[in-house]
Amino acid sequence: MAPLLNGYTNGASRHLPEDPSIVASRFSDIPSQIDIPVTGLEAEEAVEVNLEELLDDPTELCTLLEQEGVGKHYWMVIALAYAKQAKVDHAIEILSKGLGTLNRGNPKEKLGLLSLTCWLYLWKSREAPRVIPEGQPVNETRLKDFYLQAATGCLNEASRINPAFPPLFLARGVLYLLRASLQPHSKAAAPGASDISDRVETLRQSIKCFEDALRVSAGRNMMAILGRARAYFSLGKYAEALDGYQEVLLKMPHLQDPDPRIGIGCCLWQLGHREEAREAWERALDLNSESKIANILLGLYYIHDSSHYATTDPAFGPIYKKAMTVYTQKAFKLDKELPLTCATFGSYFMMRKSWATVDNLARKAIEHTDVNAVASDGWYLLARKEHYQDRPDLAKANDFYQKADLARGGGDKGYLPARFGLVQIQILQRDFDGAKFRLEKIIQQSKSTEAMMILGALHAEDVFRSQTSGIKEDRSAEVKKATTLLEAVRLAWKDPQKKLTPDTSVLVYLARLYETDQPDKALQCLQQVEQMTISDMPNKEPPDGTEADEAWAAKLREQLSPQLLCDIGCFHFNMERYDQAREFFQTALNACVKAGEKDEGTDTDALVTTISYNLARTYEAAGLLDEAKQVYEGLLARHEDYTDARTRLAYIELRQKPTDDGPKAMAALYETDSTNLEVRSLFGWYLSRAKKRAPNIAEDQEQRHYKHTLQHYDKHDRYSLTGMGNLYLTTAREMRRDTDQDKEKRRKTYEKAVEFYDKALQLDPRNAYAAQGIAIALVEDRKDLTAAVQVFSKIRDTVKDPSVYVNLGHVFAELKQYSRSIESYEAALTHNRASDPQILACLGRVWLLKGKQDKSPSAMKTALSYSHRALALAPQQIHFQFNIAFVQIQLAQLIHILPESQRTLEDVVKASEGLEEAIESFGEIAQSKNPPYPRHDIEQRANMGRNTMRRQLERAVQNQTEYEEKNAAKLQEARDLREAEIRRRAEEKRRAEEQKEVEKQKIREERDKMAQLSRELAEKRAEEEKRRDDAEYTTDEEGERVKRTKKKKGGKRKKKGEDSDTGTEAGDGGEDKAAKKTRKKKKAQSTEPSSAAGSSNEEGVAKNKRKRKRLARRGGKEDKFKSQEMIVDSDSQDDERQAAAPLTNGQASNDEDGDTQMRDAEDEDGENVVRPKPRKRVIEEDDDDEEEEDEEEDEEPSNKTTAEIDAEEHGGHKGASFADNPHGDPVDESVGAAGDAGARELAMSEAPTVVS
């Protein structure tokens, strides 16, 4: 059933009372006074009792009633009068005494009093407290349950007297409803299982009672329908409840106490139709402006509507103000004890922190309500009051939250805000596991974004605590859970329907979680925080006349948190975006200054120191060493004991002046801060660069330094462990491997290095340098190239250091994957190592190997180019010179062995020149002080080039010269042949195009001829149409051009010589039925009969004979329009009539009826005659044959005029010539006969044929 609005069902009209404003109120049938008859006096005398001014003590009145022995009616009326004045206890006392006086009479007399007593107890139950009020003694307080038990006793006593007493069914149904309101909600049943809790069973019993009340009242008890709808609503069957409320409204449109529109609105609200619910409540308020229920429900509607907006949204204020001041405040003024109003106003005072008022209103809502949900709201208000105070009582808050949850069923059916409050209490009590468990339950049921945010934050805090504690645990699962939950919250912000306000703490948590593995996402989160903070600034728009540029954006950033700006700058620094990092660090320093100006009590010194250090590190990474030194010195001027700044200054001095001021600065730093691990690490790095190589590792200064650090300062110092591993790895690489003993010693040294690396990785699994050392050991010791590639590939994704790419290049070269090796070396060049000669030399080596593998001179030339670049960067390195000479020798050998077709004379000549340079270079290298290889080997290589390869290249030059000369002749011949073939094809193409052009010209000429012929035919056709129009139209007496009239030919032809009158009479009365069926209509173009036409009958007869012969010749052919028998039969009958009775020209005109039919046909159809196409087709073919035969058989000279010939050619048009002849000149009979026959044939071709 559709919702009832404004007292109608979907606009259906109802017959309403004449005055809808007259509404029956409760106790309206109680009289203002009552006369109690008195015995012993005159019969008509009685005691008058004023029911509007009752006594405070009804004892005397009860005594009077007992003495006079009045009937139950008097007891009930007086009790109701007391109840009308809200003196329910006196009313119950009167009824109790009345029941005592009726004990001696008929028991059925007590039913009315018992029923009324039950209703009064139910009334008292509605007003009694639900729980014992705080501060009141337990024995003196009567709760709702007490009055419900009293009402149950009355009902049981009445049922023993008469169980079928109709008022008992309704009372018992209400009793069950009130009893169900005190019973807790059942917990969620298993899927598919029925709910058998006490509350549900009680509500089902109430429904049965209401249905019994309806049964005995034949469906007229509206209160029973309302009670049943209320029970359905309590069971959650909102559609059935809606049907009940609508039924009541349909039958009693002006019922206002109780108002079914309230119930309709509540059902619609639960069904999700918020606007329809509001309309129902507004209609109830229109009918009764003092309805406290309608007012508070509308207030709740607008409070719910305001919850869709943030408190900072301009739309929030007006809606919330309307909810509280227009509706909720009015409802509170109408009834200050209404539980729903108290609970609603309690939330308002909660925001104002009026704790006493909140406590009072919440307890009223709990004590006086019959609805569990309202009681839950009251408990929730008390819990929040205890939770949000300056000194919260967490035990009480936890207890109240649990009661609020249980009032709505608890478990899966409980109150979500109360369970959320329990989570907060658990977090305050540091019960994180319990809070997580409860939050996961909440998320499974409601997908609450607040629950997901808190649960994600709890998982994130676990991860952060694990990181700071130093305990090595696998927290990847917690990281994944936290990021998933927080990203879900972040995604929910984008849904416009949810209207959620973004929380920057979510983004900060996500940034910390992404910091290690996905720094780009972490930076995006911080940038979003920056944008959100700027968007919330009141003065974010630039002044008038200016544009929002980078300067304005930087000015806005200065109002942000310095910590946020510093974090963004650090991410830019780690991504090697040094310019952007510098800008953010500088802006952060300005923000610190502004923060200090706003709040002088804020200590910004620590922030300024940290941000300044970061700025100096950015200058240093960008190569601006002077600016970095200036910032470090400024920090030291403010804080002399700032060791990190002194360490960086010493490092800069080492880089700028490695032989002078650098060592001095390093020594001074180490002397003052030798206990600092960072200083000791830098000193170890300095020793690795400046020390002299010791023959024994035990005597190495760097090894002693690291060992001292590990023994006396920190045995878990990761830098010292990695440095020790590097020392042993370098030592093992340089050890001899001639004998097995040497090899075993070398292997153990590698194992020692791996032990140090492994220890460092245990302390820091992300130590990429230690992992790289293990990979190098795998390659050099065990030749495990595949495992090394996997390790290097993982390190490459972690450490942005060129050494990783160099090592990858080495491994790929050993695996003979030269292309990937070249890519790795080139990647190392791009990482600030473009001027590293070692990497260039490695590239030259790999290109050489690739050229030898592919036998590619171009690859060897590339190797030679890289070798020249390496020598240019380090000309004092003699091994680079050796590399160039070696590549030149290899290139000469390759050019020599290549076939003549794969090389050129230029390549051979250049290879010969390079060989000469190599021979000279080998001689110089062999004479140098420290050659890279033994002198004897180098001299032998030079002699081989001088003696063998030189002669080989000379012969190669001669052979290549002869080959290229012969090849040039062959190429020229082939080139000539190709050019000749190209010319031949071009000539053939030209001829084909000429032939095609000739054909196109012929086609154009033929088209022109066809177009000319078409134009001539069109002109001829136009002339014929013009002649036909001239023959069809004539000029009337007034000089206007009109169409000639056409007449139908009669059934019988007139004899020659008869006048038109005789022909008319014969046409009117002399036709028989057979003649009418076979009669042919002809086109009559003349309105006057002409006697001159009679002379042409003989010629017409001859023509008909020829036609019969022609039809006889074609008798065996089929016609696709009509059967041949019908056509021949019709023509034969017509011809027989013509032969038997030749007609005169006067007889050719139709009779009056036929003329009238012709005119009617012209008026209705817009055409002269009806022309069926099949018959017309056959006659036209006959006409064509006739014309051909006329031309063949009747070729006789004739002295005719051009007009006569035209008229003869067009058949019936000749009649028009006679009519248009003003002088009536005689015309040749042959012409007239021809015209008459033509008119007949035209009529035959256009008139419908009647077939018998």
Side-chain angles (χ1 to χ4, degrees):
M1 180 180 283
L4 287 170
L5 303 178
N6 300 325
Y8 301 95
T9 306
N10 293 335
S13 61
R14 296 285 298 168
H15 296 287
L16 304 179
E18 295 181 358
D19 189 3
S21 61
I22 300 176
V23 180
S25 60
R26 298 187 184 186
F27 304 104
S28 59
D29 55 344
I30 302 300
S32 59
Q33 60 185 12
I34 188 173
D35 295 335
I36 301 175
V38 180
T39 58
L41 299 178
E42 296 181 2
E44 296 182 355
E45 292 185 4
V47 176
E48 181 179 312
V49 177
N50 188 352
L51 298 180
E52 292 181 353
E53 298 179 358
L54 295 170
L55 299 174
D56 294 336
D57 187 2
T59 304
E60 295 182 2
L61 187 58
C62 291
T63 303
L64 175 64
L65 294 175
E66 289 175 353
Q67 292 176 353
E68 300 299 329
V70 298
K72 67 176 182 178
H73 171 72
Y74 292 95
W75 293 97
M76 295 178 65
V77 170
I78 294 174
L80 287 172
Y82 273 97
K84 183 179 181 180
Q85 298 181 7
K87 299 177 180 179
V88 183
D89 293 331
H90 293 333
I92 294 174
E93 181 183 354
I94 293 172
L95 292 174
S96 298
K97 292 182 179 180
L99 287 171
T101 59
L102 295 177
N103 284 333
R104 296 182 296 273
N106 188 359
K108 292 185 178 181
E109 293 292 328
K110 299 168 58 178
L111 286 175
L113 295 178
L114 288 172
S115 176
L116 180 56
T117 305
C118 175
W119 283 109
L120 292 176
Y121 278 129
L122 294 177
W123 186 353
K124 289 291 290 183
S125 174
R126 295 289 304 274
E127 296 179 349
R130 187 186 187 95
V131 295
I132 298 175
E134 188 176 6
Q136 293 188 9
V138 178
N139 298 330
E140 297 180 3
T141 304
R142 292 182 176 181
L143 304 180
K144 291 180 180 292
D145 188 63
F146 171 81
Y147 293 105
L148 291 179
Q149 290 179 2
T152 304
C154 293
L155 283 176
N156 292 336
E157 185 178 354
S159 297
R160 285 192 293 269
I161 298 172
N162 184 7
F165 186 55
L168 299 182
F169 295 118
L170 185 63
R172 194 175 296 276
V174 175
L175 174 64
Y176 280 128
L177 271 180
L178 294 176
R179 184 177 294 169
S181 66
L182 298 179
Q183 294 171 340
H185 282 264
S186 62
K187 295 186 178 180
S194 59
D195 193 348
I196 56 173
S197 63
D198 293 340
R199 178 176 178 275
V200 173
E201 289 299 324
T202 305
L203 290 173
R204 289 174 182 170
Q205 289 293 330
S206 70
I207 292 174
K208 184 178 181 302
C209 294
F210 290 131
E211 289 177 348
D212 291 340
L214 280 173
R215 177 177 50 79
V216 298
S217 66
R220 294 190 299 271
N221 193 333
M222 296 298 103
M223 295 299 107
I225 299 176
L226 288 174
R228 184 180 61 181
R230 170 65 183 273
Y232 278 131
F233 187 90
S234 299
L235 286 172
K237 299 180 179 180
Y238 305 115
E240 292 86 343
L242 179 62
D243 291 340
Y245 287 121
Q246 288 174 333
E247 182 182 356
V248 173
L249 185 60
L250 188 66
K251 293 179 179 179
M252 297 183 67
H254 293 290
L255 179 63
Q256 296 182 16
D257 188 17
D259 195 341
R261 299 168 188 82
I262 301 296
I264 289 173
C266 293
C267 294
L268 290 172
W269 181 276
Q270 293 294 340
L271 292 173
H273 306 294
R274 313 289 191 193
E275 295 301 322
E276 289 81 356
R278 176 184 58 80
E279 292 175 3
W281 295 330
E282 286 179 347
R283 177 57 179 163
L285 197 61
D286 292 340
L287 296 176
N288 182 11
S289 60
E290 302 300 319
S291 173
K292 54 188 177 182
I293 300 297
N295 275 289
I296 188 57
L297 289 175
L298 283 172
L300 290 174
Y301 166 82
Y302 285 106
I303 290 175
H304 177 269
D305 191 23
S306 67
S307 66
H308 295 153
Y309 303 92
T311 55
T312 57
D313 195 319
F316 173 80
I319 299 175
Y320 187 77
K321 183 178 180 181
K322 183 177 182 180
M324 299 308 297
T325 59
V326 177
Y327 295 108
T328 307
Q329 188 175 10
K330 183 177 180 181
F332 188 74
K333 290 179 180 179
L334 291 172
D335 186 358
K336 295 183 179 180
E337 304 296 326
L338 185 65
L340 184 57
T341 307
C342 293
T344 306
F345 247 132
S347 300
Y348 170 74
F349 286 106
M350 175 69 67
M351 293 188 295
R352 300 184 62 180
K353 296 184 179 181
S354 300
W355 307 123
T357 306
V358 171
D359 187 85
N360 184 26
L361 293 174
R363 294 192 179 278
K364 283 184 179 180
I366 295 169
E367 294 167 2
H368 297 96
T369 184
D370 295 326
V371 182
N372 288 326
V374 178
S376 175
D377 291 339
W379 290 119
Y380 182 67
L381 285 174
L382 291 177
R384 290 179 65 192
K385 177 183 76 73
E386 298 294 339
H387 188 180
Y388 294 153
Q389 288 182 2
D390 296 335
R391 293 182 178 180
D393 189 342
L394 298 182
K396 281 188 177 181
N398 188 73
D399 181 49
F400 291 149
Y401 279 134
Q402 288 181 349
K403 288 182 178 179
D405 186 39
L406 291 174
R408 278 185 163 92
D412 296 340
K413 291 184 177 181
Y415 192 31
L416 179 61
R419 283 185 284 166
F420 201 77
L422 286 171
V423 169
Q424 293 175 325
I425 296 298
Q426 287 177 316
I427 293 174
L428 291 175
Q429 294 175 345
R430 307 194 68 79
D431 183 10
F432 299 120
D433 293 335
K436 290 179 186 177
F437 178 77
R438 196 179 293 272
L439 285 171
E440 288 174 355
K441 288 287 187 181
I442 294 174
I443 293 171
Q444 289 176 1
Q445 298 166 12
S446 64
K447 301 296 181 184
S448 169
T449 55
E450 291 82 1
M452 288 191 288
M453 183 170 63
I454 292 183
L455 183 57
L458 289 175
H459 285 299
E461 289 294 340
D462 289 344
V463 174
F464 302 151
R465 279 195 298 269
S466 177
Q467 292 175 352
T468 56
S469 64
I471 300 174
K472 294 181 180 149
E473 296 180 7
D474 185 12
R475 291 287 183 176
S476 58
E478 284 78 1
V479 172
K480 185 176 180 181
K481 287 181 181 179
T483 53
T484 302
L485 291 167
L486 296 175
E487 283 291 355
V489 175
R490 187 181 180 187
L491 183 63
W493 296 343
K494 300 178 182 179
D495 190 352
Q497 296 180 352
K498 294 182 178 180
K499 297 181 180 179
L500 298 176
T501 303
D503 192 343
T504 56
S505 62
V506 174
L507 297 170
V508 174
Y509 273 118
L510 281 172
R512 292 188 64 184
L513 292 170
Y514 287 137
E515 179 180 1
T516 304
D517 296 329
Q518 296 174 304
D520 53 341
K521 288 189 176 181
L523 179 60
Q524 291 176 4
C525 293
L526 293 179
Q527 288 174 340
Q528 188 175 354
V529 173
E530 175 193 1
Q531 294 173 2
M532 290 168 53
T533 310
I534 291 176
S535 62
D536 293 338
M537 291 181 180
N539 54 349
K540 60 183 177 181
E541 298 297 332
D544 296 337
T546 60
E547 297 182 357
D549 52 3
E550 291 295 332
W552 178 253
K555 187 175 181 181
L556 290 178
R557 286 196 190 101
E558 292 178 357
Q559 304 178 29
L560 300 177
S561 168
Q563 294 90 336
L564 173 63
L565 297 172
C566 182
D567 291 342
I568 295 175
C570 290
F571 278 107
H572 282 299
F573 178 86
N574 292 332
M575 295 178 182
E576 299 181 359
R577 303 170 186 167
Y578 302 124
D579 293 338
Q580 298 180 24
R582 183 172 65 250
E583 292 177 2
F584 273 95
F585 288 139
Q586 291 174 345
T587 307
L589 288 174
N590 297 335
C592 288
V593 175
K594 289 193 174 182
E597 293 176 354
K598 292 180 181 178
D599 187 3
E600 296 181 356
T602 303
D603 184 12
T604 59
D605 182 68
L607 275 175
V608 171
T609 302
T610 303
I611 297 171
S612 300
Y613 179 81
N614 292 339
L615 179 61
R617 292 284 286 116
T618 306
Y619 283 133
E620 187 179 346
L624 305 175
L625 300 181
D626 295 335
E627 288 81 353
K629 287 176 63 176
Q630 184 178 357
V631 176
Y632 287 137
E633 291 171 355
L635 286 173
L636 290 173
R638 295 170 55 193
H639 304 282
E640 296 180 357
D641 56 346
Y642 197 1
T643 305
D644 290 339
R646 296 185 61 201
T647 303
R648 300 311 302 178
L649 276 175
Y651 175 74
I652 293 175
E653 291 292 338
L654 286 172
R655 289 184 59 184
Q656 290 182 333
K657 301 173 183 179
T659 59
D660 188 10
D661 295 339
K664 295 179 182 179
M666 188 69 250
L669 175 65
Y670 187 72
E671 183 179 354
T672 57
D673 295 306
S674 60
T675 59
N676 187 289
L677 291 178
E678 294 293 332
V679 174
R680 297 190 68 84
S681 299
L682 180 61
F683 189 71
W685 175 84
Y686 165 70
L687 291 176
S688 67
R689 296 294 190 275
K691 71 179 180 179
K692 292 182 179 181
R693 191 176 301 273
N696 188 1
I697 190 173
E699 300 175 359
D700 190 271
Q701 295 182 359
E702 184 181 4
Q703 189 267 352
R704 291 179 177 179
H705 173 73
Y706 292 144
K707 186 176 181 180
H708 190 263
T709 301
L710 293 172
Q711 290 178 347
H712 299 91
Y713 293 97
D714 186 4
K715 64 179 180 179
H716 299 304
D717 183 34
R718 291 167 291 178
Y719 188 88
S720 298
L721 291 170
T722 307
M724 290 289 284
N726 291 337
L727 282 173
Y728 278 97
L729 186 67
T730 305
T731 303
R733 184 184 299 125
E734 296 176 355
M735 291 177 69
R736 300 178 64 87
R737 62 199 80 173
D738 297 335
T739 63
D740 294 340
Q741 185 178 2
D742 293 339
K743 292 179 181 179
E744 181 65 20
K745 186 176 180 181
R746 182 172 180 267
R747 185 184 63 80
K748 290 183 178 180
T749 306
Y750 273 119
E751 290 180 355
K752 190 71 172 176
V754 171
E755 288 179 4
F756 282 108
Y757 289 138
D758 185 63
K759 182 65 174 177
L761 284 173
Q762 290 177 10
L763 295 171
D764 182 11
R766 296 182 177 275
N767 191 334
Y769 299 100
Q772 186 173 212
I774 292 178
I776 295 172
L778 288 173
V779 174
E780 295 181 353
D781 182 29
R782 301 180 183 179
K783 304 298 181 183
D784 191 354
L785 302 176
T786 304
V789 168
Q790 295 177 359
V791 175
F792 284 131
S793 299
K794 292 181 179 179
I795 297 171
R796 177 184 57 191
D797 299 333
T798 305
V799 178
K800 296 179 180 179
D801 191 86
S803 62
V804 182
Y805 295 95
V806 172
N807 291 326
L808 271 174
H810 294 339
V811 177
F812 285 132
E814 292 296 327
L815 292 171
K816 296 185 179 180
Q817 299 180 14
Y818 301 123
S819 298
R820 299 182 68 179
S821 177
I822 291 169
E823 291 177 1
S824 299
Y825 287 135
E826 289 179 347
L829 286 177
T830 59
H831 286 72
N832 298 326
R833 299 287 290 272
S835 59
D836 192 332
Q838 296 294 338
I839 299 177
L840 294 173
C842 291
L843 275 169
R845 172 176 171 272
V846 176
W847 276 108
L848 176 63
L849 295 173
K850 182 176 176 60
K852 291 175 70 175
Q853 184 185 49
D854 300 341
K855 294 183 179 181
S856 171
S858 61
M860 287 196 173
K861 291 177 182 178
T862 306
L864 185 61
S865 174
Y866 277 114
S867 299
H868 279 293
R869 289 174 58 184
L871 182 62
L873 291 173
Q876 71 278 4
Q877 300 293 334
I878 196 168
H879 60 276
F880 291 155
Q881 186 178 358
F882 176 85
N883 291 342
I884 294 174
F886 183 77
V887 174
Q888 288 173 336
I889 288 288
Q890 295 296 323
L891 180 59
Q893 289 178 351
L894 179 62
I895 292 295
H896 171 257
I897 63 176
L898 285 177
E900 288 85 354
S901 59
Q902 296 182 11
R903 67 187 184 187
T904 63
L905 180 60
E906 184 181 359
D907 293 337
V908 179
V909 172
K910 287 186 177 181
S912 179
E913 294 174 356
L915 177 63
E916 296 297 332
E917 293 178 2
I919 293 171
E920 184 178 354
S921 297
F922 280 141
E924 295 177 0
I925 293 170
Q927 299 300 324
S928 63
K929 183 177 180 181
N930 295 314
Y933 294 97
R935 290 188 176 88
H936 178 70
D937 294 342
I938 298 174
E939 289 175 354
Q940 281 186 348
R941 189 172 292 277
N943 291 332
M944 183 185 68
R946 186 181 301 110
N947 298 327
T948 304
M949 296 186 63
R950 182 182 291 173
R951 288 194 297 269
Q952 290 176 350
L953 287 180
E954 289 175 356
R955 287 195 299 269
V957 170
Q958 294 176 3
N959 295 337
Q960 190 69 24
T961 303
E962 293 175 0
Y963 171 79
E964 290 189 0
E965 288 176 356
K966 292 178 181 180
N967 194 40
K970 291 179 182 179
L971 288 174
Q972 184 62 36
E973 183 180 356
R975 194 179 295 110
D976 294 340
L977 291 175
R978 180 172 179 77
E979 290 177 356
E981 180 67 17
I982 291 173
R983 287 195 299 271
R984 184 185 65 77
R985 290 182 181 178
E987 182 64 22
E988 289 180 357
K989 184 177 180 181
R990 184 185 62 78
R991 290 177 183 175
E993 290 178 353
E994 290 179 355
Q995 182 66 23
K996 191 181 293 185
E997 187 63 30
V998 171
E999 292 177 358
K1000 287 183 180 179
Q1001 183 63 29
K1002 289 181 180 180
I1003 293 172
R1004 283 196 295 269
E1005 292 176 357
E1006 290 177 359
R1007 287 179 179 174
D1008 292 341
K1009 289 180 181 179
M1010 292 174 66
Q1012 181 64 27
L1013 181 59
S1014 299
R1015 285 194 296 272
E1016 291 176 357
L1017 290 176
E1019 292 176 357
K1020 184 176 180 181
R1021 192 179 297 110
E1023 293 177 358
E1024 291 176 357
E1025 292 290 337
K1026 184 177 180 182
R1027 285 197 300 272
R1028 189 178 294 110
D1029 291 343
D1030 292 341
E1032 268 187 56
Y1033 289 88
T1034 184
T1035 305
D1036 59 4
E1037 297 176 356
E1038 296 178 359
E1040 295 182 358
R1041 187 173 177 82
V1042 297
K1043 197 170 187 179
R1044 299 179 187 277
T1045 59
K1046 301 178 180 68
K1047 295 184 179 180
K1048 185 187 293 185
K1049 188 175 181 179
K1052 297 176 65 178
R1053 298 182 182 275
K1054 292 183 181 181
K1055 295 182 180 180
K1056 186 176 182 181
E1058 290 182 354
D1059 57 4
S1060 61
D1061 295 335
T1062 304
T1064 304
E1065 292 174 0
D1068 291 336
E1071 289 184 348
D1072 57 358
K1073 190 174 182 179
K1076 287 182 180 180
K1077 288 184 179 181
T1078 58
R1079 184 172 55 207
K1080 304 292 187 289
K1081 294 182 182 180
K1082 73 175 183 177
K1083 194 183 262 187
Q1085 296 181 349
S1086 174
T1087 58
E1088 295 182 4
S1090 177
S1091 61
S1095 61
S1096 62
N1097 288 337
E1098 296 177 0
E1099 185 176 350
V1101 172
K1103 287 176 119 331
N1104 289 331
K1105 289 180 180 180
R1106 289 195 298 273
K1107 185 173 183 181
R1108 284 195 299 273
K1109 291 178 183 179
R1110 182 171 63 256
L1111 292 173
R1113 288 195 302 271
R1114 299 193 317 187
K1117 300 180 180 178
E1118 286 187 9
D1119 187 81
K1120 67 178 180 179
F1121 297 100
K1122 295 284 186 178
S1123 64
Q1124 192 168 357
E1125 292 179 359
M1126 296 178 183
I1127 297 174
V1128 172
D1129 183 64
S1130 177
D1131 292 343
S1132 300
Q1133 291 177 8
D1134 194 80
D1135 292 340
E1136 288 173 0
R1137 287 196 190 92
Q1138 284 187 349
L1143 298 178
T1144 61
N1145 203 16
Q1147 290 172 332
S1149 62
N1150 297 328
D1151 55 9
E1152 292 178 1
D1153 294 337
D1155 195 27
T1156 303
Q1157 293 174 4
M1158 177 63 73
R1159 286 193 296 270
D1160 293 340
E1162 290 178 2
D1163 294 338
E1164 293 176 2
D1165 301 332
E1167 297 182 356
N1168 297 332
V1169 292
V1170 180
R1171 304 174 182 177
K1173 293 184 179 179
R1175 182 61 185 165
K1176 179 179 177 182
R1177 171 73 178 238
V1178 175
I1179 299 303
E1180 287 177 352
E1181 290 177 356
D1182 293 343
D1183 292 343
D1184 295 340
D1185 295 338
E1186 183 179 352
E1187 290 176 2
E1188 291 175 1
E1189 292 181 6
D1190 289 343
E1191 291 175 359
E1192 293 174 358
E1193 297 177 12
D1194 299 334
E1195 290 183 358
E1196 295 180 0
S1198 177
N1199 297 325
K1200 299 177 183 177
T1201 62
T1202 305
E1204 291 170 347
I1205 293 172
D1206 292 338
E1208 185 176 359
E1209 289 177 355
H1210 292 83
H1213 295 178
K1214 185 61 182 176
S1217 301
F1218 284 102
D1220 293 338
N1221 189 355
H1223 303 293
D1225 294 336
V1227 183
D1228 187 30
E1229 292 182 1
S1230 61
V1231 178
D1236 188 55
R1240 176 179 173 278
E1241 291 179 6
L1242 182 61
M1244 290 173 62
S1245 66
E1246 296 182 352
T1249 302
V1250 181
V1251 181
S1252 60

